[in-house]
Amino acid sequence: MNKFNVLIIEDEKNICNFISKTLSSQGYRVSCASTGNEALSLATSLCPDILLLDLGLPDMDGMEVIHRFRTWSNRPIIVVSARTLEIDKVRALDAGADDYLTKPFGISELMARIRTSLRHSNPAANNGDTPPHLYHAKGLEINFFKRTITIDRNPIHLTPIEYKIVAFLAQNSGKVMTYSAVMNSVWGPYAESDNKILRVNMANIRRKLEKNPAEPIYIFTEVGVGYRMADDEEPL
Ligand code: CA
């Protein structure tokens, strides 16, 4: 099996060692950078499959690393940061980070997010090399070709807008999508900046999909940031 290359960008030695040991024990190849400049030069020479990025770096802000890295690579970036403000998460995600984990984090959560990001960036690594046209999770099935949604085989009727929202989240399942990312994908670049219309649609979607809309099992809210759809169950 071809090992995935992970680049950890973190100036705290013990955090770096901890993540690096866990990843190595699970068969990943790991490199570490403790500054933004070192990270960017390693990223060009090693072509890592995924970046784990701390935002508080000694020589530059991690946001700068995201901006620069995104000018030439679309490999996934998971931010692992002590910054817990919603606005920091939104900025990082909108700048092109794929996911965001706040410190302190659970190592199994981090491993799960890494697997999700890698699966999304390497669809061919799953089964065959055609893009997936089905989404499955907990009895919910979406067929992106037929544009149909069923739960336990019962059809669910969504409006075209509601379908677009759900399909976009499902195609990015397991990852948090910011409100503005969803708005842009559904209403285009001229979407209103106010996300009220999105919240109204989401309330209707949840009434149709969730048994208990207050405790959703399909689409989760990341308060102040966006939505995350339950991860696609592994293809058989
Ligand atoms: Ca730091």
Side-chain angles (χ1 to χ4, degrees), residues 10-12 54 56-57 103:
E10 170 65 72
D11 59 326
E12 283 172 63
D54 176 30
L57 298 170
K103 295 175 183 170

Side-chain angles (χ1 to χ4, degrees), residues 7 9 40 43 48-55 62-71 73-80 92-93 95-101 110 113-114 117-118 121 175-176:
L7 176 58
I9 305 154
L40 289 164
D49 296 293
I50 187 166
L51 269 57
L52 304 185
L53 174 67
D54 176 30
L55 293 180
M63 287 296 298
E64 181 68 23
V65 177
I66 299 178
H67 286 300
R68 291 207 212 164
F69 186 66
R70 277 287 170 262
T71 60
S73 175
N74 58 7
R75 307 308 301 169
I77 302 174
I78 300 180
V79 170
V80 182
L93 292 165
D98 294 78
D99 210 340
Y100 196 110
L101 217 55
L110 176 62
R113 303 280 186 93
I114 291 172
S117 291
L118 286 173
S121 63
K175 302 199 310 190
V176 55

Side-chain angles (χ1 to χ4, degrees), residues 165-220:
I165 295 171
V166 173
F168 177 70
L169 292 173
Q171 276 156 345
N172 294 283
S173 66
K175 302 199 310 190
V176 55
M177 303 315 287
T178 63
Y179 297 121
S180 68
V182 183
M183 300 277 295
N184 286 338
S185 97
V186 175
W187 286 279
Y190 303 106
E192 289 175 40
S193 55
D194 178 12
N195 58 34
K196 181 160 179 283
I197 183 169
L198 175 57
R199 284 184 282 117
V200 168
N201 274 282
M202 185 53 72
N204 292 332
I205 290 168
R206 283 193 168 132
R207 262 198 297 278
K208 295 178 183 181
L209 296 190
E210 308 279 359
K211 276 202 182 75
N212 177 2
E215 282 177 39
I217 62 166
Y218 297 119
I219 301 176
F220 310 101

